[in-house]
């Protein structure tokens, strides 16, 4: 990485996604430094990339020190998702 630290990767499974609201999921990572990349896919009646930009159904995602924040504007509760986080650690 640009600061010489190693980049770690973790795939986090998210069960039922939110119904037109926000929801936090614990990612189980300690000592997160910088987030390098966030992405993934949501799977239900179709497969949708995350994050997803659309005028009718945007999906946003963010990462905090202990959680992944997931927000939808429509009912995505029949979908689950895999989120791939790439990050550095504060302890390296």
């Amino acid at each position: 990485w640009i600061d010489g630290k190693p980049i770690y990767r973790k795939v986090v499974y998210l069960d039922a996604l939110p119904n037109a609201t926000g929801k936090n999921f614990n990612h189980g990572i300690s000592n997160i430094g910088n987030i390098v990349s966030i992405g993934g896919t949501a799977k239900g009646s179709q497969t949708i990339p995350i994050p997803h930009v659309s005028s009718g159904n945007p999906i946003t995602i963010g990462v905090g020190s202990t959680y992944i924040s997931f927000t939808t504007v429509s009912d995505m509760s029949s979908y689950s998702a895999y989120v791939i986080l790439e990050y550095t650690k504060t302890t390296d």
Side-chain angles (χ1 to χ4, degrees):
W1 181 238
I2 59 173
D3 60 5
K5 291 185 176 188
I7 296 175
Y8 297 88
R9 177 181 292 147
K10 182 171 184 177
V11 178
V12 181
Y13 175 74
L14 311 180
D15 56 4
L17 298 179
N19 179 357
T21 188
K23 185 175 180 180
N24 290 339
F25 298 86
N26 186 340
H27 54 55
I29 303 168
S30 59
N31 303 318
I32 286 183
N34 291 311
I35 299 297
V36 176
S37 176
I38 307 167
T41 57
K43 179 76 172 146
S45 60
Q46 58 183 329
T47 299
I48 301 171
I50 301 169
H52 181 69
V53 179
S54 111
S55 60
N57 189 23
I59 299 171
T60 60
I61 188 168
V63 178
S65 61
T66 61
Y67 61 88
I68 297 170
S69 174
F70 206 96
T71 305
T72 66
V73 296
S74 64
D75 184 1
M76 298 290 292
S77 60
S78 65
Y79 283 72
S80 59
Y82 288 96
V83 173
I84 303 165
L85 302 176
E86 292 183 334
Y87 57 95
T88 63
K89 292 185 132 194
T90 59
T91 55
D92 287 328

